[in-house]
Amino acid sequence: MRRTLPVLLSIAAIAAALTLTACAAGSNVAPSPTSTSASAAAAATPTAVAGAPAIAAPMACDAVDLKPDVKVTGTDLAACVVAYSTVAGSGHETFTSSDGSTGTADVVFGDAPAMSGTIAGPDGTTSFVLTPDAAWVTIDGVWVEGDGNSTETKKMLAGTIGQAYRAAADPTVAASFISSAPSWTVQKDQDLVTLPDNSQVSAWRLQADAPFTMLGADVQEMVVWLSSAHVPVGNQATVSVGGIQTTTSQHYSGWGMPVSIATPQP
């Protein structure tokens, strides 16, 4: 668990970029989604990704013009991503990080955000459940309810991790993170991105024009992938926190699909 704590906290920082979770400490670069010269034509109607119901892009996405070489402000990109996640109400994510760690998460957005998932890495597997008023994390294989004010080490640790995840699930944190990069550019070609269900979708790659800093993390490079219908399908970020560099790739599917998150019974 000694290595898992910084892993989870780094996950929360990067996840804030797209209101989901992800990451782990490491120095090797994680593989990027396969790039291809896909059609640049925008979809005429809203499209579903990975079996999710069709969700029309919210008005906030009108300011994000998905055409090659177009500049987009971080504020507008943040508003689009957050608005889409809020309208969808729920989603599913998988991630890979530069130390070989992987994870999955189901997320509920809105006034009562909740999240559950697992992270597998060199030190084993950690599960978590986050509700509006509680945070549960497995420590040494046992569910522990977080309490940041507790004198018990495990409860305090679970509370710290839970607080980080709570920030990651908050759309206002997501907006702050993405908007910290003042300018983003839509790249010339679409990429072919593999989603959690192994289906593939062509998506525009928007890249931050320069390194930026947020939440005490130095972001050397960040990319956000949106489909032509402004559906968030993934992101990748290279971040340094406390001298540790991490590259994390996240992929999303199941937008709008029902998600059930139950409180653990220790």
Side-chain angles (χ1 to χ4, degrees):
M1 192 67 194
R2 286 175 298 179
R3 187 177 179 181
T4 306
L5 176 57
V7 166
L8 295 177
L9 295 179
S10 295
I11 289 169
I14 296 177
L18 285 177
T19 68
L20 296 174
T21 55
C23 177
S27 58
N28 298 322
V29 176
S32 299
T34 303
S35 177
T36 183
S37 181
S39 171
T45 57
T47 58
V49 173
I55 299 171
M59 291 182 61
C61 292
D62 291 348
V64 180
D65 191 4
L66 296 175
K67 296 179 181 177
D69 297 324
V70 167
K71 297 287 185 180
V72 178
T73 69
T75 300
D76 287 341
L77 179 58
C80 174
V81 171
V82 171
Y84 189 93
S85 64
T86 302
V87 170
S90 60
H92 179 72
E93 177 213 357
T94 63
F95 76 85
T96 59
S97 84
S98 52
D99 77 340
S101 298
T102 61
T104 64
D106 289 319
V107 185
V108 174
F109 302 96
D111 295 334
M115 185 185 306
S116 68
T118 60
I119 299 167
D123 295 326
T125 300
T126 299
S127 299
F128 60 90
V129 173
L130 170 67
T131 65
D133 56 2
W136 293 82
V137 177
T138 56
I139 299 177
D140 297 329
V142 177
W143 283 108
V144 178
E145 185 174 10
D147 183 353
N149 298 319
S150 177
T151 57
E152 295 183 35
T153 302
K154 289 184 177 180
K155 287 187 176 182
M156 182 172 60
L157 177 60
T160 300
I161 295 170
Q163 186 177 31
Y165 277 122
R166 195 176 304 281
D170 185 347
T172 61
V173 175
S176 297
F177 198 100
I178 297 177
S179 61
S180 291
S183 177
W184 299 66
T185 299
V186 181
Q187 303 304 299
K188 293 182 181 301
D189 296 319
Q190 290 182 319
D191 291 339
L192 191 63
V193 180
T194 300
L195 300 179
D197 65 352
N198 292 320
S199 66
Q200 294 182 316
V201 62
S202 295
W204 291 105
R205 178 170 18 115
L206 291 86
Q207 186 160 352
D209 291 331
F212 60 98
T213 301
M214 176 62 185
L215 298 175
D218 295 321
V219 185
Q220 281 84 43
E221 184 179 66
M222 186 168 181
V223 173
V224 172
W225 284 276
L226 299 179
S227 77
S228 293
H230 292 88
V231 180
V233 297
N235 82 312
Q236 182 168 293
T238 298
V239 178
S240 291
V241 179
I244 299 175
Q245 179 173 294
T246 302
T247 297
T248 298
S249 298
Q250 301 169 284
H251 298 95
Y252 312 99
S253 64
W255 289 111
M257 298 292 284
V259 170
S260 177
I261 297 178
T263 300
Q265 299 299 317

